[in-house]
Amino acid sequence: MKKLFVILCLITFAVAFKSINDELFYIPKNFPQPVYDFTNNPLSKEKVELGKTLFYDPILSKDNTISCSSCHLSYTAFTHTDHDLSHGIENRIGTRNAPSLANLAWSKIFMWDGAVHHLDMQALAPISNHDEMDETIANVVFKLQQSKKYRKLFYAAFNDSLITGEHTLKSISQFMLTLVSANSKYDKVMRKEANISFNEYEAKGYELFKTNCASCHKEPLFTNNEFENNGLEPDKFLNDGGRIKITKKAEDSLKFKVPSLRNVELSYPYMHDGRFKSLQMVLFHYTESVYQSPTLSHQLKNKMVLSENDKINIIAFLRTLTDEEFLQNKKFQPNQY
Amino acid sequence: MERSIYIFKKALLFIALIFSSKMLQAQDSKSFQLNFEPIFNNQVLVLNDSFYHIDNNDSVRFSKLKFYISSIKFYNNNKLVFAEKNSYHLVDASNSKTLYININKPFGTKFNSIKFNLGIDSITNVKGVLGGELDPTKGMYWTWHSGYINFKLEGTSNLCNTRNSVFEFHLGGFAAPYNCLQTIQLSLSNITTATVLVDVNKFLSQINLANTNAIMTPSKQAVELAKQATKMFIIK
């Protein structure tokens, strides 16, 4: 009887904690609680595996040529390095720069203008965007249903080989949720691990960063999850108003989501339209070329003054946000079949 | 040995209890049949083939009529008596099965009016991906701007100066100030069934198709048209 009781207790315990699966996802010591509600989509090994397979499979695009990873590559923090505007099927060029993907469980809202309000719904946008994958979710599900491999994978994940949009999107989310980047030098310094500390330049850069940048690029995620106007002069060809597209409010004109700066060393070119090729150019922008407009964020209304050495130090600090373990993590890369 | 027999007996009793209570429930519960009947004025609405006359000798043809009915509730003299659980129904004029909604309700409930939403509420909208009637493969989810499309009406008319003379009304949006969700309340005279006419003319007659023929985003106009759309629903 006692044995039974113990077993029952263990089961309840396991069920309560099952929604967050440690092996697949963890909350780093220096991070807040995630935003994503795992109880609606509890992680499992099989679902993450299915999500990863989908992420790397061009079956999601109309002509079966483009996968999510075409624009979001693991080695470059899941962005499309060296392309200012992302490229989709038939070489059509999109209107925005692909952001890096990491720590998505902590994001409240997605896309440069916040067009997508939930991670589960994210994949619908590239799948159906004419310039990206130009496909419909209904047809993706149809194609998946024809595939023996996917019927097996869906069965393993959901105990149901009938493929649905819900299950497809939930598993893509699951894979993206596992992309936690929290082992950069910065994190190790913050967690006081193994006597790791900033060098002189990085330490100076960190202080400058806290004064000039951290109100928007807030630690430890390096974004405040808000929309801000950081003074980019509007591009006359793209004519992208950012957040105003979604809210239709004048006060949101030229505001874009503050991007995380994790792995920023690798995610060039920078900004929503990829206009800057290097971090030097980004810092030149913040000190010399801030474009005045009514919605400019208040922190940037006064000229930012940084010496050339200050800039070098800030860049040294930004490089401490590179997380080699994340970039090289085999779990995030496609399986070798 | 005796002990295990005792446990076995107990278990049997328990199972029997569950079964009998289930059977009682089955006997005791009745259903309410809610039917939708798309029309144009006094004619039955048929998609694709038929032309319908509108003012000044122009005509329209419809290719799609699709909308969400959700949160169905029954009232007795304005007092809530029953609310359907998980109440989401996609009505699609091109699929006659979807025009008949069967609602299981407790036996013996008295009511004289019904209330439902035209569309999907904002709480459901922000829950993340959902299945069944709410699965994004149903074609009622905006992909480039998250949110459900509450109501779709599409067709053609010579009045529309658009490609192939097409008009498309996609009404949706769940965030203030452009929340499109509408509530419709109808009086009932029968407690087993009701047929609700969906008169598309009541919607179109208020619109000048020459000027207004494509609504595809949450906006002030979408909210106004959604209010207009509630007038289509009339008890037969």
Side-chain angles (χ1 to χ4, degrees), chain B residues 7 45 84 106 118 141 161 185-186 193 202 205 217 229 232:
Chain B
I7 291 177
L45 188 115
E84 190 192 25
L118 177 60
Y141 199 89
N161 186 16
Q185 182 157 17
L186 301 168
T193 178
K202 291 260 185 317
S205 61
T217 53
M232 307 191 315

Side-chain angles (χ1 to χ4, degrees), chain B:
Chain B
M1 190 61 199
E2 220 155 82
R3 199 182 141 76
S4 61
I5 289 174
Y6 172 77
I7 291 177
F8 183 69
K9 275 188 177 163
K10 276 262 165 182
L12 265 184
L13 195 74
F14 185 63
I15 292 168
L17 251 162
I18 290 180
F19 264 92
S20 59
S21 70
K22 275 260 181 278
M23 291 208 335
L24 271 177
Q25 255 178 19
Q27 271 178 3
D28 199 17
S29 84
K30 275 227 160 175
S31 63
F32 183 85
Q33 179 95 28
L34 179 63
N35 306 327
F36 289 92
E37 201 175 300
I39 59 166
F40 192 91
N41 266 340
N42 300 318
Q43 293 163 267
V44 173
L45 188 115
V46 181
L47 293 183
N48 299 320
D49 302 321
S50 306
F51 289 87
Y52 300 90
H53 281 287
I54 52 175
D55 296 344
N56 43 9
N57 283 333
D58 278 299
S59 68
V60 280
R61 193 149 69 141
F62 300 98
S63 56
K64 188 173 282 176
L65 171 65
K66 238 171 140 178
F67 51 86
Y68 273 116
I69 294 296
S70 70
S71 188
I72 300 176
K73 292 177 177 151
F74 294 88
Y75 289 82
N76 198 26
N77 301 330
N78 286 326
K79 198 174 146 261
L80 178 68
V81 289
F82 175 68
E84 190 192 25
K85 284 215 181 71
N86 226 332
S87 184
Y88 302 104
H89 306 273
L90 179 57
V91 178
D92 180 350
S94 74
N95 179 356
S96 57
K97 267 193 291 190
T98 67
L99 301 175
Y100 310 105
I101 300 175
N102 207 28
I103 302 154
N104 288 318
K105 56 150 188 70
F107 183 72
T109 9
K110 275 199 181 137
F111 47 83
N112 52 20
S113 73
I114 187 172
K115 216 186 230 185
F116 53 79
N117 288 338
L118 177 60
I120 301 298
D121 64 81
S122 50
I123 294 171
T124 309
N125 256 292
V126 298
K127 270 192 185 148
V129 65
L130 299 162
E133 296 282 82
L134 297 170
D135 195 291
T137 50
K138 301 276 179 190
M140 295 294 277
Y141 199 89
W142 268 313
T143 55
W144 38 267
H145 181 173
S146 304
Y148 281 98
I149 301 168
N150 294 338
F151 173 90
K152 268 189 182 178
L153 180 69
E154 296 176 13
T156 49
S157 166
N158 287 335
L159 281 173
C160 305
N161 186 16
T162 55
R163 193 160 158 256
N164 303 326
S165 309
V166 165
F167 61 85
E168 282 176 293
F169 296 102
H170 294 183
L171 309 181
F174 63 89
Y178 304 129
N179 189 342
C180 253
L181 189 75
Q182 301 296 324
T183 304
I184 294 170
Q185 182 157 17
L186 301 168
S187 300
L188 301 175
S189 52
N190 184 318
I191 59 161
T192 56
T193 178
T195 296
V196 178
L197 299 173
V198 187
D199 186 354
V200 176
N201 189 41
K202 291 260 185 317
F203 178 70
L204 274 197
S205 61
Q206 301 300 311
I207 296 167
N208 180 352
L209 279 176
N211 304 329
T212 307
N213 44 43
I215 303 287
M216 317 278 278
T217 53
S219 62
K220 201 172 149 204
Q221 207 177 7
V223 176
E224 278 160 16
L225 289 176
K227 283 188 187 140
Q228 187 60 38
T230 62
K231 305 208 171 105
M232 307 191 315
F233 296 81
I234 309 152
I235 286 282
K236 189 172 179 177

